[in-house]
Amino acid sequence: PCEPFSAPFDVYLPEFPDQDINEIDTIVQPDLIIICDSSKIIQKGCLGAPDLVVEILSPSTAKKDMNEKFLLYEKHGVKEYWVVDPGNRYVRVFHLQTNDTEADKYDDGILIPPADWRDENTIAESLILEGFKVDTAELFKEP
């Protein structure tokens, strides 16, 4: 039942439930998102947190993706956040940890190493989407 979308695709992150979409100030355009709750898909994009967000780092976006967007996705409840770094050839997968006494926080992330690291697992696998996985050896394979 999950659907993927790629940029440009707006994600509206409301500050409170039932906030009018025209009053939402936080709008992002991740590189790739997966939405499993079809009620979040609206004509303008996605209303609320997608289940999984993938950002592909570039020199001009890396700081924003790893800081500002990381905190936004964490705050708004994106269950899984993948950061793909083509320059360093790795994927880092963060999972939202639910805590009854504090705000939900991402774990430290699982680093899927560059494909040229020997004797290392090169499979990045989702914990929330069964069967969704990426082999970094293939992803970063030289042409």
Side-chain angles (χ1 to χ4, degrees), residues 13 26 63-78 81 96 104-106:
L13 299 172
T26 306
K63 188 174 182 179
K64 185 174 186 173
D65 291 340
M66 290 302 297
N67 295 301
E68 183 180 327
K69 284 187 170 182
F70 178 96
L71 294 173
L72 273 175
Y73 298 149
E74 183 179 65
K75 173 184 174 185
H76 289 277
V78 173
Y81 180 39
L96 197 63
D104 295 346
K105 295 281 186 191
Y106 282 129

Side-chain angles (χ1 to χ4, degrees), residues 54-112:
V54 177
E55 293 286 6
I56 302 168
L57 300 183
S58 70
S60 63
T61 66
K63 188 174 182 179
K64 185 174 186 173
D65 291 340
M66 290 302 297
N67 295 301
E68 183 180 327
K69 284 187 170 182
F70 178 96
L71 294 173
L72 273 175
Y73 298 149
E74 183 179 65
K75 173 184 174 185
H76 289 277
V78 173
K79 296 174 188 170
E80 215 167 78
Y81 180 39
W82 289 37
V83 176
V84 178
D85 187 336
N88 293 308
R89 298 175 37 208
Y90 72 79
V91 175
R92 188 168 202 129
V93 180
F94 298 92
H95 302 99
L96 197 63
Q97 305 297 302
T98 304
N99 189 328
D100 293 335
T101 59
E102 299 173 21
D104 295 346
K105 295 281 186 191
Y106 282 129
D107 58 16
D108 293 332
I110 299 168
L111 180 66
I112 311 303

Side-chain angles (χ1 to χ4, degrees), residues 14-59:
E15 288 302 312
F16 53 88
D18 300 323
Q19 183 178 10
D20 183 275
I21 192 164
N22 297 316
E23 295 176 1
I24 297 173
D25 294 327
T26 306
I27 305 167
V28 292
Q29 285 192 344
D31 294 312
L32 175 69
I33 64 172
I34 297 177
I35 304 169
C36 297
D37 179 353
S38 62
S39 70
K40 291 183 178 184
I41 301 170
I42 58 172
Q43 186 174 3
K44 291 184 172 189
C46 176
L47 180 57
D51 293 274
L52 187 144
V53 170
V54 177
E55 293 286 6
I56 302 168
L57 300 183
S58 70

